[in-house]
Amino acid sequence: MTLAVVIVGAGQAGLQLASSLRENGFCGRICILGDEAHPPYQRPPLSKAFLSGTFSQELLWMQEPDYFAQNAIDFRPSTRVRYIDREARMVETVAGSIIPYDKLILAIGARNRTLQDVTDRTCRSHSIRSLDDSRSLRAALATAKRMVIVGAGFLGLEVAAVARAANIDVDIVESGPLALGRAVSSITSRALQEHHEKLGSNFHFGETVADINSESETDNIRLSSGKMLQADSILVAIGVEPNVELAASAALEVRNGIVVDHAFRTSDPDIYAIGDCATFSYGHAYQRLVRLESVQNAVDHARAVALNIIGLSEEYDQVPLFWSDQAGLRLQIAGVADPTDRAILRADLVGETASIFRFRDERLVAVESINRPGDHMQARKLLKTRAPLRPEEAEDPDFSLKALNERHLSAGHSR
């Protein structure tokens, strides 16, 4: 092929797309435009092993320095795209460079939400999205004694685990009633809360940050209830917003992300969107658009688009996967559930091991596994093949998930 492929975004999705194109014999031009100065790197360790100092920066890089030259990939760091000209099929960078494309892929991710009106009053506020963010927070934690984390989502809880391992006092402020309340079942949420409370973190649910009074050595943080907390380091981890402005300015359809079809094409068939910025129809369990934020999701999208570009497209029906490590507790999730979906506990939480099976209208849509990797692997197969697991079977610890999968596959039900 002699197509020119331009990829905007040098994260997991962008690099995976370029790699998959070359691995599948694509011989056209590939250009990756990254807005950071760094080469593509792993983001998950930024809130865990890299932040704690047990994972070196060199291990973050996703490819060797000579990878791009060896694979004829034009990688341009510190390059931000200003404008997409759909009619001329070219992009213009902030620096004024014009780059033509036959196929354009938007892998532009998301950005952290902020508490700008509050955190502008202190120099001790941090967020984590980039390598530079994690470096800055790691330096702050080296001398911190008291930390306030705003947000009890994945990122906030992961950082809390790192901080407690460093003997830093941790207060977690969450506006909702539960930790990870929008992402997992109430059973899993309570298990995570208890785990972090055993580690020594304190939760403040139903609270927001009302004000910060910065002093010479600490910040005095007033919560919405009037409660006062002190901190010499603050992390704001209240979720992300998809980067859609570039797509919207090009008149592409945007709804909580860049809307794409089953092949990840936007409303312009020569422009694709993948990863955290893409909103797509997850047909396995949903009859509506969803946007997923995970490494595996980004990788799966990229591989699917690469096959589509070279003419080997197939129906996209991957099971979304998520994971989080939090001080000896590993949470693995297969599928996507709504808060209203039924939750079936399969194992006792004694020893902090369990699997929670989520059902909608008697149909399995997701499984949350806590330190039970075997259940997670079987859950992935159950969801992929759509094996008919009933709620009462999921609840029975003696019922063999593996046997059900084997029976289903032997009957010819594979997808």
Side-chain angles (χ1 to χ4, degrees), residues 256 274-280 282 286 290-295 297-298 301 316 318-322 335-337:
N256 184 35
I274 57 177
D276 292 4
C277 69
T279 297
F280 66 105
Y282 173 41
Y286 283 86
V290 297
R291 188 177 62 79
L292 305 176
E293 300 158 12
S294 78
V295 168
N297 180 62
H301 286 191
Y316 181 83
Q318 297 299 318
V319 176
L321 305 175
F322 309 83
V336 182

Side-chain angles (χ1 to χ4, degrees), residues 56-107:
S56 71
Q57 180 170 300
E58 289 69 28
L59 293 175
L60 290 176
W61 310 133
M62 289 193 286
Q63 290 293 352
E64 296 297 323
D66 57 356
Y67 172 82
F68 298 102
Q70 289 180 352
N71 289 274
I73 297 171
D74 179 10
F75 169 56
R76 304 187 192 185
S78 302
T79 302
R80 185 179 294 274
V81 173
R82 184 188 69 83
Y83 177 70
I84 300 170
D85 187 332
R86 292 170 51 185
E87 185 175 352
R89 292 205 293 185
M90 65 85 172
V91 298
E92 180 181 344
T93 71
V94 170
S97 298
I98 302 297
I99 305 171
Y101 68 83
D102 294 304
K103 300 294 181 182
L104 176 66
I105 295 85
L106 301 178

Side-chain angles (χ1 to χ4, degrees), residues 185-226:
S185 65
S186 60
I187 299 173
T188 299
S189 174
R190 286 193 295 269
L192 290 167
Q193 179 183 339
E194 291 172 4
H195 175 70
H196 283 274
E197 288 175 337
K198 289 177 183 177
L199 294 173
S201 289
N202 301 305
F203 286 88
H204 307 272
F205 292 110
E207 295 272 22
T208 58
V209 175
D211 194 18
I212 297 178
N213 180 20
S214 185
E215 297 181 350
S216 59
E217 294 183 0
T218 61
D219 285 328
N220 296 309
I221 302 163
R222 180 168 58 84
L223 303 185
S224 51
S225 67

Side-chain angles (χ1 to χ4, degrees), residues 336-403:
V336 182
D338 279 338
T340 56
D341 291 333
R342 184 181 177 188
I344 300 292
L345 175 63
R346 181 172 173 82
D348 196 306
L349 286 178
V350 174
E352 294 189 328
T353 67
S355 285
I356 295 87
F357 288 69
R358 309 296 302 278
F359 285 86
R360 184 180 312 141
D361 300 326
E362 305 300 304
R363 179 182 178 186
L364 183 69
V365 295
V367 180
E368 303 157 8
S369 296
I370 301 172
N371 291 343
R372 291 179 70 88
D375 280 1
H376 176 69
M377 292 305 297
Q378 294 303 322
R380 292 169 62 170
K381 295 176 183 178
L382 289 169
L383 290 165
K384 180 67 176 178
T385 64
R386 305 182 188 182
L389 178 71
R390 298 193 301 272
E392 59 269 25
E393 293 170 335
E395 195 171 21
D396 181 1
D398 295 324
F399 182 82
S400 173
L401 302 175
K402 181 179 180 181

